[in-house]
Amino acid sequence: MATAYRTCPLCEAACGLELTVGDGRILAARGDREHVFSHGFVCPKGATFGALSGDPDRLRRPMIRHGGEHREASWDDAFQAVAHGLSQTVAGYGRSALAVYLGNPNAHTMAGGLYVTPLLKAAGTPNVFSASTVDQMPKHVSCGYLFGNPLTIPVPDLDRTDFLLILGANPWESNGSLATAADFPGRLKAIQARGGRFVVVDPRRTRTAEHADEHLFIRPGADAFLLFAMVHTLFAEGLVDLGHLAAHVTGLDQVRGLAADFTPELAAGACDIPAERIRGLAREVATAGSAAVYGRIGTCTVEFGTLTSWLIDVLNVLTGNLDRPGGVMFPLAAHLRPHDRPGGKGFRTGRWHSRARGLPEVKGELPVATLADEIETPGPGQVRAFVTVAGNPVLSTPNSARLDRALAGLDFMVSVDPYLNETTRHADVVLPPMESARKGHYDFSFLGFAVRNFASYSPPVLPPDPGGMDECDVLARLTLILAGQDHTDPGVLHETLLARALAKSGGTVGRDEVTGDGPAERLLDVALRAGAYDLTLARLIENPHGVDLGPLQPRVPEVLRTPSGTIELVVPAIAAEAGRLLAATGRSRDDLVLIGRRHLRSNNSWMHNVPALVKGRDRCTLQMHPADADRFALADGDDAEVTSRAGSLTARVEVTDRVMPGVVSLPHGWGHGVPGARMTVAAEYPGVNANLLTDEMSVDPLSGNTVLNGVSVKIAKLR
Ligand SMILES: Nc1nc2c(c(=O)[nH]1)N[C@H]1C(S)=C(S)[C@@H](COP(=O)(O)OP(=O)(O)OC[C@H]3O[C@@H](n4cnc5c(=O)[nH]c(N)nc54)[C@H](O)[C@@H]3O)O[C@H]1N2
Ligand SMILES: Nc1nc2c(c(=O)[nH]1)N[C@H]1C(S)=C(S)[C@@H](COP(=O)(O)OP(=O)(O)OC[C@H]3O[C@@H](n4cnc5c(=O)[nH]c(N)nc54)[C@H](O)[C@@H]3O)O[C@H]1N2
Ligand code: SF4
Ligand SMILES: [Mo]
């Protein structure tokens, strides 16, 4: 038996794991007490890393579909079939007949961080979709406008803040998102222990809310009113103080103008938080020694998602809390370099539009809410072939019954995925990468969102499976196929990417000094050598518990990529959204709206095959306030029929005052046990798919993000 250390790749928290390895498998996983960032923290998901790795349902060889059935095939046959299927579509209908969907775990693999961009380039299609448009796209857009780069997203400086306002996030269970903070709960408790406070705004009394100093219920979708009224209060009470940002901000008067109509009284009517409390919150953010406003899923997946995300950082700016210790700050990952000076091209959307609905491109992709339209709508450019990498859109994206039907009508589909699930069952070919334990790991995405700068690399903990394939090789071969090249040797692409990375380093890194056992490792080594801290792969390998790079440092103005080199507070698109919000004040209210929820032992749709994570009480229940249960004559344990514009489903009712009246909550990621999938344990705990109810026609206009929270529904008792 041996001990190995490994970053957990399962969520954004990036905890260090200590693994016991023997017999060619992982026998146990616990928190790595010496890890520089997580200090021994582990959650129930991380503790199942071994079970997940050894899951008997995990595909280890490619699958080719014959009629309705998938059969194991050799890698060569599988890639031949992919080359044939994709080239037929491209030859017959052009590249726009291809679509690609990228799922969430791409952010959790080195292959995803390094090989997806070349793959998209080779695909050459406008029809790129990802989980980002059912998640954080509004934040990319608001930060793109404010700071000039959609990836320049400030994170709450959790370990130093005196006051944290959390909207629409439940880090006690999600472990945080767009804020990499292993042991988020511990860091929240530490705020209180040092005399600070944190307040949660959420239509559900979550576990985070339970631990907060204060929890405020809010009407789903109404955060923009609350936040605008807080901005209004700052101006009205002379609390705007840009502090150290004064020389770096433009558009202040425009913000004042936009906020003028959003009085706390107006907002109170829309969001159900009393006007005096709204004023109080604004004063607290403004007067705390340091304060951070942080929002996540509940502020993004709503009708005014971009405006809400924008308002969050506007509050941070107006109170001088952006880019200062204890406020919100910009991390600097080890594989990146700071810029020499502020200013850049800035950010814009709409470089192309979707064919069927004319929705604007954002960050190189189109809203996944319109994927089914693109497959179903006839005419030039109709999508006929589909590539998914690490995604399960049939459970994760809106009106999934429609998408499920659309996928069945494709000419060809290939999925890079370790499971035959609700989505990949439609694939003609499934290419399963080797499991996490057999790949190296470095968090290209999340180290850029870490609340303290650190770096860690984990080498593979198990030897390669002789009949398996590394995900970099899988993606490289797929890329070569898409580029119309010989695809038998992925090394051709690995070498091209390495040469490009060396060139990008501007000659600071020489080919002969680069080390690394695999192609991803070599690219990482180049990036680290060229990066901000002059690290090397070897140095990270010598430090299996990670290398601490210190607390976050101020980065304004260097980090700003707007044309003016300042924080550009107001662009016309944002001003127009503010007008649309004001006009929404008079709308009549929905009688009942649906929101989601996450559970500590779930991870979106794909970890329900691990027995330890699904056993126990059914978690896929429809939570409903007692007053609503009375209204619909429903009792705890009854089955209710829930209907929306998009579809309907039957769910088990759980009566609880954790949700506010007028709001029901159903988790997403369930709805297993469909024919053709092969996830034995998940099929025993199927649950229902919440995205049968979410509406693909309902998007935040600036980002194309789907409205997943605040969906109007009707309820009836099932007889
Ligand atoms: N109603 C509602 N819907 C939601 C949400 C919500 O809050 N409410 N949340 C949304 C959010 S935030 C997200 S991120 C999306 C997630 O949407 P998706 O990314 O589409 O879905 P996941 O459930 O994360 O599925 C991940 C897929 O990746 C595969 N996989 C796992 N590990 C690997 C790997 O190492 N390599 C490869 N190639 N594949 C791998 C899994 O088998 C699975 O098929 O769901 C969204 N959908
Ligand atoms: N255990 C677990 N952890 C996860 C995941 C998981 O599935 N399970 N998924 C991972 C992923 S991909 C992501 S993106 C993150 C998400 O991380 P979080 O955003 O922290 O997770 P959620 O639990 O979706 O929290 C969203 C909260 O918003 C609330 N909400 C809904 N509508 C509104 C609204 O209109 N206004 C306000 N103020 N609140 C609202 C919901 O009640 C919910 O509590 O979690 C990650 N971590
Ligand atoms: S919190 Fe996230 S990173 Fe940490 S052990 Fe759990 S799943 Fe893994
Ligand atoms: Mo997500």
Side-chain angles (χ1 to χ4, degrees), residues 58 126 154 168 222 282 286 423 513 520 524 599 626 660 700:
R58 172 181 278 274
T423 296
E513 53 184 334
L524 172 61
H599 189 280
M660 62 194 287
D700 164 39

Side-chain angles (χ1 to χ4, degrees), residues 58 101-106 108-109 131-132 134-136 296-297 301 389-397 416-419 421 423-424 431 433-436 439 471 596-598 603-606 666-669 679 690-691 694 708-709:
R58 172 181 278 274
Y101 174 84
L102 304 167
N104 168 281
N106 281 304
H108 298 265
T109 63
S132 294
V134 278
D135 189 345
Q136 81 287 2
R296 220 22 294 274
I297 286 289
T301 56
V389 184
N392 191 5
V394 167
L395 292 192
S396 314
T397 70
V416 181
D417 203 287
Y419 284 108
N421 63 21
T423 296
T424 61
L431 304 168
M434 272 190 288
E435 65 263 41
S436 273
K439 354 184 184 186
E471 189 147 13
R597 70 178 185 270
R598 282 174 159 78
N603 194 16
N604 296 327
S605 76
W606 70 278
L666 189 65
H668 77 285
M679 297 183 77
N691 283 316
T694 55
L708 300 172
N709 280 293

Side-chain angles (χ1 to χ4, degrees), residues 643-657:
T643 310
S644 71
R645 191 209 66 87
S648 72
L649 54 76
T650 303
R652 181 70 40 93
V653 171
E654 178 188 342
V655 179
T656 168
D657 66 1

Side-chain angles (χ1 to χ4, degrees), residues 224-240 252 254-260 262 264 278 282 310-316 318-319:
F225 288 103
L226 163 69
L227 296 167
F228 243 137
M230 288 173 67
V231 170
H232 176 102
T233 303
L234 294 179
F235 282 108
E237 301 190 359
L239 293 170
V240 172
L252 193 62
Q254 283 164 280
V255 177
R256 185 203 310 265
L258 293 178
F262 291 95
I278 297 176
W310 173 82
L311 282 160
I312 285 171
D313 283 322
V314 166
L315 276 171
N316 286 320
L318 297 185
T319 54

